[in-house]
């Protein structure tokens, strides 16, 4: 359950990408504790450059995510891929915590 979209389409997107966030109570990715899984519910930013960067990493609403480490960078897994992002980018990613 996700949306198919290329980075080139980011210029035509609204200033925030929150396909599911109106229907689900969301928190920030930064608020998930280490070892906790969640689902990306939206990307909330007015900065098109940040939105393009997040989309280029493949982080889109509907994708499952699991936090591995929170400091010094936020390290998380999506499927079999482990990624690290700066907290200034992570503050725009909304998630819903998944039941254990």
């Amino acid at each position: 359950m996700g949306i198919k979209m290329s980075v080139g389409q980011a210029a035509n997107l609204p200033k925030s990408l929150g396909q599911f966030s109106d229907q689900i109570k969301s928190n920030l990715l930064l608020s998930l504790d280490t070892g906790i899984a969640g689902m990306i519910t939206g990307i909330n930013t007015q900065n098109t450059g940040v939105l393009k960067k997040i989309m280029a990493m493949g982080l889109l609403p509907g994708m499952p995510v699991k936090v591995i480490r929170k400091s010094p960078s936020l390290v998380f897994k999506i499927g079999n891929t482990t990624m690290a992002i700066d907290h200034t980018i992570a503050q725009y990613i909304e998630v819903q915590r998944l039941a254990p």
Side-chain angles (χ1 to χ4, degrees), residues 34-78:
T34 302
I36 302 299
M39 179 182 71
I40 298 174
T41 58
I43 301 166
N44 190 5
T45 180
Q46 298 296 315
N47 185 326
T48 306
V50 170
L51 180 59
K52 287 180 182 180
K53 182 180 279 191
I54 292 170
M55 289 177 56
M57 291 187 288
L59 305 176
L60 298 171
M63 300 193 75
V65 61
K66 183 176 182 179
V67 174
I68 306 299
R69 187 177 68 219
K70 295 180 79 168
S71 182
S73 297
L74 183 72
V75 179
F76 58 95
K77 287 188 84 156
I78 291 186

Side-chain angles (χ1 to χ4, degrees), residues 8-24:
Q9 293 172 310
N12 299 324
L13 290 174
K15 294 297 181 186
S16 66
L17 182 61
Q19 178 179 350
F20 305 110
S21 60
D22 292 338
Q23 304 160 1
I24 301 171

